[in-house]
Amino acid sequence: MTAQLGVILLFLAFLCAAYAWGASFLGGRREDDRLVESARNAAIMTWPLLTAAALTLISLLVRGEFNTTFVWTVTDRAMPTYLKVTALWGGQAGSLLFWSWLMSTFTAAAMLRNWKRERHLMPYVISAAMGTLTFFIVLVAFWENPFARYWQTLGGDVATAMFGPSAFFTPLGVAWGSLAQKIPGLLGIVAKGMVPLTAPLGATAVFPPDGNGLNPLLRHPGMIIHPPMLYLGFVSFVVPYAFGMAALARGEVSDSWIRATRRWTLVGWLFLSLGLILGGWWAYDVLGWGGYWAWDPVENAAFMPWLTGTAFLHSVMIQEKRGMLRRWNMVLITLTYLQVVLGTFATRSGFVSSVHSFAQSAIGPLFSIFLGGALIVSVSLLIKRWDEMAADNELDSLFSRETFFLINNLLFLCINVAVAVGTYWPVFTELLQGVVPGVQKSSLGEGFFNATTGPMFMALIFLMGVTPLIAWKHASLKRVARAMLWPSVIALAILGAVTAIMGVRGLLPAGRVVVLTLIGYGVALDAGSLTIGEYYRGVRARMVTHGENFFAALGTMVGRNRRRYGGYLIHLGVVIMAIGVIASHVFQKETQQAVSSGQTITMGDYVLEYKNLERFMASDGRAVTRAQAVVYQNGREVAQLSPRIDSYPGGQPMSIPGKYTSFMGDDFYVLLVTWEPLSLSNATFKIYYNPLVNWVWMGGFVFIFGTLVAAWPDFSEERRSVPAKSRRATPLAAAGK
Amino acid sequence: MTELTAQPVTLPARPAKGRAKFLIGGVVMLAAVVYLIVSNIGAQQEYFITVDELEAKQSDLVGRSIRISGAVIGDTIEYDGKTLTFDIVNIPDSAATIEDEGGLAKVLHEAVTNPDAKRVTVILIDQPKPDLLQHEAQAIVTGTLGEDGMFHADELLLKCPTRYQEAVPEQVGG
């Protein structure tokens, strides 16, 4: 009975969302408060309904109800309970339900939080959010229903359907099915892809004794946390988009929607960043190719909204301070939203080949239709209000913070374009093949992404260091140069020292690479040093004027300007990550050798001694082949590693690396490649030496911490939000606004 | 406090000139980015070719960066810890064709059981034998066609229509 309950909950959630969508839109047009309030209640109602639906699915998963298709697909009896719970997002149908639930949670929260203050925008906020939610619930309820069950037909086939056979509904379903067969093209695929409501007449429920089991690759802690983080990020960006569209629909394109959604944007950005970083960590830890970022289409799909979202976070500051870039910000949030939907779509539909996309299905065309609709609505609203969104101020000078922010924005967008070109290139060329002469289906590899985005990222990191020193409106070159002097001297000194040490030890690469590497390090160190300099200047000023000690000064300074100093912490995190990325890219070494027991492999200062190999069955049913090896650095034993290969019954074996991390954060990363099956005395290892790779994770940690500092709710600010706002404006007024 | 250090300035009346400078700056920047992207497309493009096409146009293709995809023949996988070789057979290159012919799993199965299908030997050196490399897997390899007629790959991507995707319980299969 539980599965039917899930279906009914989904249908109810669909009705609520669709009603809220329509009623809020009508209520907004007719200025009918009662209708709007009823729409709001329906919108909030989706949350308990979807919560109950998700809990129903979790209970089916935990109890091992293999009669349910989704449960059979992603779990088996041997899996521990926590994995059965997280299997909720281990497959397409469950992921979509989870996505919808998060979306509903966020919109309900946004409505409760901003209802009074942004009352005038609310009708259309509900429309935009519920339009999106309705689409996702439709997908879950009618195309990817996780509650569908297995039935055995009289003919002996296995069918899936939501409910058992019914004398009334089954013939209707059969009629619909034969009609769907006749519909040509995309619509036909869509129609044929629907989950039948009722099973064929005479069919009986099937209860498989055990399930299929979760893909072993997804049984890693990184993979348990990584998708929800990305989804949270995706979903929270829907809120600022909904507010933006509401502002356009209402014609209230002032800055209040930006203020209302500032924190939502930061939260979305926090989760998206966290998701991306965790994804890299998972890849490095589990996929066993020695790297963490491969420009895989699915990674890119999450990275692209992050890029426009980051641009948006920066450019809203100009709108807040100077009343400029209103159109630009609207365009950015729309682009972010569309890329969020495109991102989920690209991940789900498998239309770009990727290592981790789910199988192809009918939801591809549905996503295209939705995306097209959202694009048309957004663009027509933008056009309608274009003239009303004129800026209050002109750009005063080329040498001003505004200009630098603008360049920053353009760079983020250009990186986005480059990533999009690279990601969708196979799709473009496949479409144009045969249409435009000379075009042949082709793809662009990692080299393309590195070569195009590398220089732009360097420019961004440079701007990141310099921009905080540049004043709004008009900056003085002399002042900026003076502020840059000492931090840059320190950065250069560090760079010189590191280069000298590496040169002496013979570690510098030859030719063009060395120049590029040094430029990269110079830029990163300078940006880091300038950012620390900003902290230093602020703290010193407080210590002098208020007579506070260092820590008190730091505490008050950051506490009073959390967005600003949190932002600088994020910048510092980026610098640390950049250092790790460059080092692990340029200086990575690898080797692969076969050794027999007691033999060694030498790589730089390190020696790996192979001891022995053992094979055993683990308690969760996987067969483990584990090598024991000892790592020596300069003749001293530093670690014992046990790289292993796990084979789940019926699944593919996977290599789990053994890692030794040095004091500086270098990784000696060892994979067991193959072994001699009988004697177990010979084994082949692949070793990667990844210098400073742990700086990527360390930088990521600083980055996330900085975002938390910036996004943490400031309750005192909210209570007296009006006076606080006017106080913030004074420095500008003083500056001659 | 950068905001506070901003100089109170009287606005000079020169927005028109400023705008022109901005436009020029923007155009120069965009041109640089377009150049960066276009030149790298030229340099980094890897052509998708089917095994059939590889056979037909062999002489033109030697040395060019190409990407082929095919079904892996399990019996031909050989690995000595250093050199990995295996044969792949032709499958259609477009996802739509594969869908029309009954899905990836079916296409792969038919390819490996068809004795007349064109095949090519792929060789990789100093690479681990990937976990997914098995009979009837789809291999996507990037590299160059050597004078020896073998495909020298430096990247190998595998897709497996495993039991973890699109399956129905076997227990009730009939």
Side-chain angles (χ1 to χ4, degrees):
Chain A
M1 279 315 283
T2 328
Q4 283 100 313
L5 176 69
V7 175
I8 291 165
L9 286 167
L10 277 182
F11 284 0
L12 289 176
F14 162 67
L15 290 178
C16 281
Y19 170 76
W21 180 18
S24 60
F25 182 74
L26 274 184
R29 296 218 88 163
R30 295 192 198 147
E31 312 252 332
D32 181 343
D33 272 357
R34 278 188 49 210
L35 202 54
V36 173
E37 268 173 33
S38 133
R40 175 196 67 169
N41 296 342
I44 293 176
M45 196 55 208
T46 59
W47 186 75
L49 287 170
L50 287 174
T51 308
L55 288 176
T56 308
L57 187 55
I58 291 174
S59 115
L60 288 167
L61 285 165
V62 171
R63 285 185 302 150
E65 298 273 346
F66 300 118
N67 177 226
T68 316
T69 51
F70 186 71
V71 177
W72 184 85
T73 318
V74 297
T75 58
D76 60 34
R77 289 195 186 285
M79 273 163 59
T81 308
Y82 77 95
L83 274 181
K84 287 183 183 165
V85 174
T86 58
L88 178 62
W89 51 85
Q92 178 154 280
S95 298
L96 285 171
L97 173 59
F98 184 59
W99 209 103
S100 313
W101 175 74
L102 285 175
M103 167 93 224
S104 158
T105 312
F106 274 50
T107 26
M111 263 171 259
L112 294 174
R113 222 183 108 91
N114 299 315
W115 183 256
K116 287 220 180 81
R117 243 191 300 170
E118 312 294 339
R119 181 69 182 77
H120 51 289
L121 292 181
M122 274 304 163
Y124 298 114
V125 172
I126 301 177
S127 302
M130 285 302 126
T132 312
L133 184 62
T134 307
F135 169 68
F136 275 91
I137 300 182
V138 163
L139 283 186
V140 180
F142 303 107
W143 273 272
E144 291 292 332
N145 197 313
F147 299 105
R149 284 170 299 153
Y150 290 117
W151 302 89
Q152 181 134 26
T153 63
L154 292 175
D157 293 332
V158 177
T160 56
M162 297 183 218
F163 295 100
S166 138
F168 178 68
F169 285 106
T170 301
L172 283 181
V174 172
W176 166 246
S178 52
L179 181 70
Q181 289 298 333
K182 292 192 192 98
I183 305 174
L186 281 184
L187 278 178
I189 297 178
V190 170
K192 276 178 271 184
M194 285 181 89
V195 180
L197 190 67
T198 50
L201 289 174
T204 47
V206 173
F207 295 92
D210 199 357
N212 190 40
L214 187 66
N215 189 335
L217 288 174
L218 305 182
R219 301 185 190 196
H220 177 270
M223 209 51 202
I224 291 169
I225 321 170
H226 156 71
M229 290 300 127
L230 283 186
Y231 290 175
L232 276 169
F234 282 169
V235 165
S236 9
F237 271 115
V238 176
V239 177
Y241 167 77
F243 272 87
M245 287 303 111
L248 286 179
R250 269 275 176 205
E252 291 178 23
V253 286
S254 66
D255 311 329
S256 73
W257 74 274
I258 296 258
R259 274 186 238 286
T261 57
R262 185 198 286 159
R263 190 145 284 128
W264 287 108
T265 316
L266 264 178
V267 167
W269 194 73
L270 166 74
F271 285 123
L272 210 50
S273 313
L274 201 57
L276 288 167
I277 295 170
L278 283 171
W281 175 59
W282 169 75
Y284 186 69
D285 245 27
V286 169
L287 294 185
W289 44 274
Y292 42 86
W293 185 264
W295 298 106
D296 178 86
V298 173
E299 288 168 330
N300 295 346
F303 188 49
M304 286 190 271
W306 184 88
L307 289 168
T308 40
T310 314
F312 178 74
L313 273 181
H314 286 94
S315 66
V316 289
M317 288 186 228
I318 305 189
Q319 180 166 347
E320 284 179 24
K321 294 253 188 226
R322 305 284 333 264
M324 292 154 63
L325 297 188
R326 292 209 175 94
R327 294 166 182 160
W328 180 247
N329 285 328
M330 244 357 145
V331 171
L332 278 181
I333 195 66
T334 308
L335 267 180
T336 308
Y337 171 81
L338 293 174
Q339 293 199 107
V340 159
V341 178
L342 186 64
T344 17
F345 159 57
T347 324
R348 298 282 159 261
S349 69
F351 94 124
V352 186
S353 73
S354 155
V355 272
H356 45 335
S357 56
F358 294 105
Q360 212 152 15
S361 74
I363 68 174
L366 283 169
F367 261 108
S368 320
I369 294 166
F370 178 73
L371 209 59
L375 184 68
I376 291 168
V377 171
S378 314
V379 170
S380 37
L381 278 172
L382 269 169
I383 293 171
K384 189 171 162 204
R385 303 291 178 194
W386 193 255
D387 292 335
E388 294 165 47
M389 289 192 287
D392 297 346
N393 287 295
E394 286 273 336
L395 272 170
D396 300 309
S397 153
L398 272 178
F399 195 54
S400 63
R401 191 180 289 192
E402 291 90 316
T403 314
F404 276 63
F405 265 62
L406 217 76
I407 303 175
N408 143 309
N409 264 245
L410 280 178
L411 280 170
F412 272 114
L413 223 58
C414 289
I415 294 177
N416 191 333
V417 170
V419 176
V421 167
T423 308
Y424 299 118
W425 190 254
V427 184
F428 300 146
T429 46
E430 187 172 4
L431 283 175
L432 295 180
Q433 189 170 18
V435 182
V436 179
V439 175
Q440 196 173 359
K441 189 177 178 191
S442 63
S443 73
L444 295 167
E446 249 181 89
F448 169 81
F449 291 99
N450 292 338
T452 50
T453 62
M456 292 193 266
F457 273 119
M458 275 300 119
L460 267 180
I461 291 176
F462 175 75
L463 286 181
M464 198 178 80
V466 175
T467 309
L469 304 175
I470 293 171
W472 295 101
K473 301 186 110 188
H474 265 286
S476 128
L477 191 58
K478 226 159 96 189
R479 267 165 190 275
V480 174
R482 210 184 309 145
M484 280 183 71
L485 180 65
W486 277 111
S488 303
V489 167
I490 295 171
L492 264 179
I494 298 175
L495 180 69
V498 172
T499 316
I501 294 172
M502 293 190 68
V504 168
R505 299 187 60 195
L507 294 173
L508 287 180
R512 214 165 70 104
V513 183
V514 75
V515 180
L516 291 176
T517 313
L518 287 180
I519 292 175
Y521 271 125
V523 168
L525 285 170
D526 196 35
S529 170
L530 288 168
T531 310
I532 295 172
E534 277 295 286
Y535 260 90
Y536 172 73
R537 282 203 314 180
V539 169
R540 204 188 47 178
R542 274 202 82 82
M543 284 165 75
V544 171
T545 52
H546 292 72
E548 292 170 343
N549 71 29
F550 177 80
F551 293 103
L554 182 68
T556 6
M557 178 184 81
V558 176
R560 295 211 177 146
N561 301 283
R562 280 191 292 102
R563 206 149 59 115
R564 174 166 172 186
Y565 287 99
Y568 292 168
L569 266 184
I570 298 174
H571 288 180
L572 216 52
V574 172
V575 168
I576 300 172
M577 287 170 100
I579 291 173
V581 169
I582 298 175
S584 56
H585 237 88
V586 179
F587 302 112
Q588 187 186 48
K589 283 188 285 196
E590 57 176 90
T591 184
Q592 179 169 331
Q593 283 173 37
V595 278
S596 44
S597 181
Q599 287 188 323
T600 58
I601 303 173
T602 308
M603 187 188 231
D605 296 346
Y606 293 88
V607 173
L608 181 87
E609 186 191 356
Y610 167 53
K611 293 283 187 200
N612 60 342
L613 200 70
E614 49 187 357
R615 307 196 66 186
F616 57 90
M617 296 294 287
S619 58
D620 57 355
R622 79 201 132 99
V624 179
T625 308
R626 190 167 64 188
Q628 299 291 350
V630 183
V631 184
Y632 300 93
Q633 185 181 16
N634 298 322
R636 197 169 49 87
E637 179 182 331
V638 287
Q640 304 212 346
L641 299 182
S642 27
R644 60 172 211 266
I645 295 179
D646 287 358
S647 310
Y648 287 84
Q652 306 103 25
M654 52 194 276
S655 302
I656 311 289
K659 281 184 301 186
Y660 164 66
T661 306
S662 79
F663 175 72
M664 286 300 286
D666 299 1
D667 265 0
F668 187 77
Y669 182 105
V670 182
L671 289 164
L672 173 61
V673 174
T674 181
W675 65 88
E676 206 148 87
L678 292 176
S679 68
L680 296 187
S681 66
N682 291 318
T684 304
F685 294 95
K686 174 132 199 164
I687 305 177
Y688 291 96
Y689 187 68
N690 295 326
L692 305 189
V693 71
N694 287 285
W695 288 48
V696 177
W697 318 129
M698 218 159 56
F701 182 79
V702 174
F703 187 104
I704 296 301
F705 179 69
T707 317
L708 283 174
V709 169
W712 205 256
D714 187 346
F715 297 106
S716 61
E717 181 200 324
E718 264 162 44
R719 245 175 274 135
R720 43 189 172 85
S721 74
V722 180
K725 239 180 256 170
S726 55
R727 200 178 54 237
R728 252 200 309 274
T730 40
L732 272 182
K737 186 176 174 180
Chain B
M1 305 286 143
T2 323
E3 292 93 327
L4 295 176
T5 54
Q7 296 284 296
V9 189
T10 42
L11 282 178
R14 44 159 200 180
K17 197 178 150 207
R19 188 168 292 176
K21 270 195 206 167
F22 261 100
L23 281 178
I24 294 169
V27 167
V28 169
M29 204 179 121
L30 285 181
V33 171
V34 168
Y35 173 74
L36 195 64
I37 293 178
V38 170
S39 64
N40 275 297
I41 287 177
Q44 311 273 0
Q45 208 166 1
E46 293 156 352
Y47 289 95
F48 284 53
I49 298 211
T50 60
V51 176
D52 283 353
E53 288 168 329
L54 196 69
E55 199 102 321
K57 295 189 265 185
Q58 203 151 16
S59 51
D60 307 346
L61 293 171
V62 172
R64 264 174 69 190
S65 175
I66 45 186
R67 177 190 262 222
I68 53 173
S69 132
V72 175
I73 308 278
D75 296 344
T76 62
I77 303 174
E78 272 175 38
Y79 188 51
D80 60 1
K82 186 165 176 67
T83 312
L84 172 64
T85 55
F86 57 91
D87 285 4
I88 55 174
V89 289
N90 186 62
I91 57 168
D93 62 345
S94 96
T97 321
I98 291 176
E99 267 323 287
D100 289 346
E101 291 182 9
L104 185 60
K106 190 155 170 252
V107 166
L108 288 171
H109 182 73
E110 275 167 11
V112 297
T113 43
N114 174 6
D116 301 330
K118 293 256 171 21
R119 49 169 81 188
V120 64
T121 305
V122 177
I123 176 165
L124 287 111
I125 292 173
D126 264 350
Q127 298 279 338
K129 181 172 154 246
D131 305 334
L132 291 169
L133 183 67
Q134 11 175 277
H135 190 58
E136 276 185 41
Q138 182 195 3
I140 303 166
V141 281
T142 311
T144 50
L145 184 65
E147 301 278 4
D148 51 7
M150 290 207 274
F151 190 83
H152 294 255
D154 33 47
E155 198 193 312
L156 166 60
L157 195 89
L158 290 148
K159 274 189 143 185
C160 246
T162 63
R163 64 176 208 149
Y164 293 107
Q165 289 166 25
E166 285 202 278
V168 286
E170 283 163 33
Q171 294 90 332
V172 289

